[in-house]
mmCIF file of all heavy atoms in Angstrom:
data_model
loop_
_atom_site.group_PDB
_atom_site.id
_atom_site.type_symbol
_atom_site.label_atom_id
_atom_site.label_comp_id
_atom_site.label_asym_id
_atom_site.label_seq_id
_atom_site.Cartn_x
_atom_site.Cartn_y
_atom_site.Cartn_z
ATOM 1 N N VAL B 77 9.122 5.201 5.939
ATOM 2 C CA VAL B 77 8.088 4.363 6.547
ATOM 3 C C VAL B 77 8.615 3.767 7.852
ATOM 4 O O VAL B 77 7.930 3.751 8.878
ATOM 5 C CB VAL B 77 7.643 3.264 5.565
ATOM 6 C CG1 VAL B 77 6.636 2.333 6.217
ATOM 7 C CG2 VAL B 77 7.054 3.881 4.309
ATOM 8 N N ILE B 81 7.215 4.194 11.653
ATOM 9 C CA ILE B 81 6.889 3.031 12.477
ATOM 10 C C ILE B 81 7.573 3.145 13.837
ATOM 11 O O ILE B 81 6.956 2.951 14.880
ATOM 12 C CB ILE B 81 7.298 1.727 11.767
ATOM 13 C CG1 ILE B 81 6.357 1.462 10.595
ATOM 14 C CG2 ILE B 81 7.261 0.555 12.743
ATOM 15 C CD1 ILE B 81 6.727 0.267 9.750
ATOM 16 N N VAL B 168 -1.191 6.231 8.734
ATOM 17 C CA VAL B 168 -1.604 4.830 8.810
ATOM 18 C C VAL B 168 -1.342 4.287 10.211
ATOM 19 O O VAL B 168 -2.143 3.537 10.769
ATOM 20 C CB VAL B 168 -0.892 3.973 7.739
ATOM 21 C CG1 VAL B 168 -1.223 2.497 7.915
ATOM 22 C CG2 VAL B 168 -1.296 4.427 6.347
ATOM 23 N N THR B 172 -3.883 2.244 12.765
ATOM 24 C CA THR B 172 -3.623 0.843 13.062
ATOM 25 C C THR B 172 -3.077 0.728 14.485
ATOM 26 O O THR B 172 -2.574 1.691 15.028
ATOM 27 C CB THR B 172 -2.593 0.243 12.090
ATOM 28 O OG1 THR B 172 -1.446 1.082 12.076
ATOM 29 C CG2 THR B 172 -3.144 0.125 10.694
ATOM 30 N N THR B 174 -0.965 -1.964 15.516
ATOM 31 C CA THR B 174 0.291 -2.699 15.650
ATOM 32 C C THR B 174 1.267 -2.192 14.598
ATOM 33 O O THR B 174 0.865 -1.712 13.548
ATOM 34 C CB THR B 174 0.125 -4.221 15.444
ATOM 35 O OG1 THR B 174 -0.209 -4.446 14.073
ATOM 36 C CG2 THR B 174 -0.961 -4.806 16.310
ATOM 37 N N SER B 175 2.535 -2.308 14.911
ATOM 38 C CA SER B 175 3.543 -1.814 13.977
ATOM 39 C C SER B 175 3.568 -2.627 12.689
ATOM 40 O O SER B 175 3.805 -2.094 11.604
ATOM 41 C CB SER B 175 4.922 -1.860 14.640
ATOM 42 O OG SER B 175 4.946 -0.986 15.730
ATOM 43 N N VAL B 176 3.302 -3.919 12.798
ATOM 44 C CA VAL B 176 3.279 -4.775 11.610
ATOM 45 C C VAL B 176 2.147 -4.328 10.687
ATOM 46 O O VAL B 176 2.329 -4.128 9.483
ATOM 47 C CB VAL B 176 3.097 -6.248 12.006
ATOM 48 C CG1 VAL B 176 2.964 -7.114 10.771
ATOM 49 C CG2 VAL B 176 4.265 -6.714 12.851
ATOM 50 N N ALA B 177 0.970 -4.133 11.282
ATOM 51 C CA ALA B 177 -0.168 -3.679 10.468
ATOM 52 C C ALA B 177 0.126 -2.324 9.852
ATOM 53 O O ALA B 177 -0.212 -2.068 8.696
ATOM 54 C CB ALA B 177 -1.422 -3.595 11.333
ATOM 55 N N GLN B 178 0.804 -1.478 10.625
ATOM 56 C CA GLN B 178 1.138 -0.150 10.097
ATOM 57 C C GLN B 178 2.017 -0.266 8.851
ATOM 58 O O GLN B 178 1.737 0.354 7.826
ATOM 59 C CB GLN B 178 1.864 0.654 11.174
ATOM 60 C CG GLN B 178 2.227 2.064 10.739
ATOM 61 C CD GLN B 178 3.070 2.782 11.776
ATOM 62 O OE1 GLN B 178 3.380 2.233 12.830
ATOM 63 N NE2 GLN B 178 3.424 4.013 11.486
ATOM 64 N N GLY B 179 3.054 -1.091 8.940
ATOM 65 C CA GLY B 179 3.958 -1.251 7.802
ATOM 66 C C GLY B 179 3.255 -1.859 6.602
ATOM 67 O O GLY B 179 3.336 -1.336 5.487
ATOM 68 N N ILE B 180 2.550 -2.949 6.835
ATOM 69 C CA ILE B 180 1.913 -3.648 5.715
ATOM 70 C C ILE B 180 0.851 -2.763 5.073
ATOM 71 O O ILE B 180 0.808 -2.583 3.854
ATOM 72 C CB ILE B 180 1.308 -4.981 6.196
ATOM 73 C CG1 ILE B 180 2.427 -5.936 6.620
ATOM 74 C CG2 ILE B 180 0.446 -5.613 5.112
ATOM 75 C CD1 ILE B 180 1.942 -7.233 7.228
ATOM 76 N N LEU B 181 0.019 -2.167 5.917
ATOM 77 C CA LEU B 181 -1.075 -1.355 5.358
ATOM 78 C C LEU B 181 -0.557 -0.110 4.653
ATOM 79 O O LEU B 181 -1.163 0.358 3.698
ATOM 80 C CB LEU B 181 -2.063 -0.967 6.450
ATOM 81 C CG LEU B 181 -3.146 -2.006 6.730
ATOM 82 C CD1 LEU B 181 -4.073 -1.522 7.833
ATOM 83 C CD2 LEU B 181 -3.961 -2.300 5.481
ATOM 84 N N THR B 182 0.572 0.411 5.120
ATOM 85 C CA THR B 182 1.140 1.581 4.438
ATOM 86 C C THR B 182 1.438 1.236 2.980
ATOM 87 O O THR B 182 1.000 1.923 2.062
ATOM 88 C CB THR B 182 2.443 2.035 5.133
ATOM 89 O OG1 THR B 182 2.118 2.448 6.455
ATOM 90 C CG2 THR B 182 3.075 3.193 4.394
ATOM 91 N N TYR B 183 2.160 0.145 2.785
ATOM 92 C CA TYR B 183 2.530 -0.187 1.400
ATOM 93 C C TYR B 183 1.329 -0.653 0.593
ATOM 94 O O TYR B 183 1.217 -0.337 -0.596
ATOM 95 C CB TYR B 183 3.652 -1.230 1.401
ATOM 96 C CG TYR B 183 4.969 -0.635 1.843
ATOM 97 C CD1 TYR B 183 5.565 -0.992 3.034
ATOM 98 C CD2 TYR B 183 5.593 0.339 1.066
ATOM 99 C CE1 TYR B 183 6.760 -0.421 3.449
ATOM 100 C CE2 TYR B 183 6.783 0.916 1.468
ATOM 101 C CZ TYR B 183 7.357 0.537 2.658
ATOM 102 O OH TYR B 183 8.535 1.127 3.048
ATOM 103 N N ILE B 184 0.434 -1.381 1.231
ATOM 104 C CA ILE B 184 -0.750 -1.839 0.484
ATOM 105 C C ILE B 184 -1.563 -0.644 0.014
ATOM 106 O O ILE B 184 -1.952 -0.550 -1.150
ATOM 107 C CB ILE B 184 -1.601 -2.788 1.342
ATOM 108 C CG1 ILE B 184 -0.898 -4.149 1.459
ATOM 109 C CG2 ILE B 184 -2.997 -2.959 0.746
ATOM 110 C CD1 ILE B 184 -1.673 -5.181 2.226
#
Side-chain angles (χ1 to χ4, degrees):
Chain B
V77 176
I81 288 175
V168 174
T172 52
T174 68
S175 296
V176 176
Q178 181 186 359
I180 293 175
L181 274 180
T182 297
Y183 288 112
I184 287 183

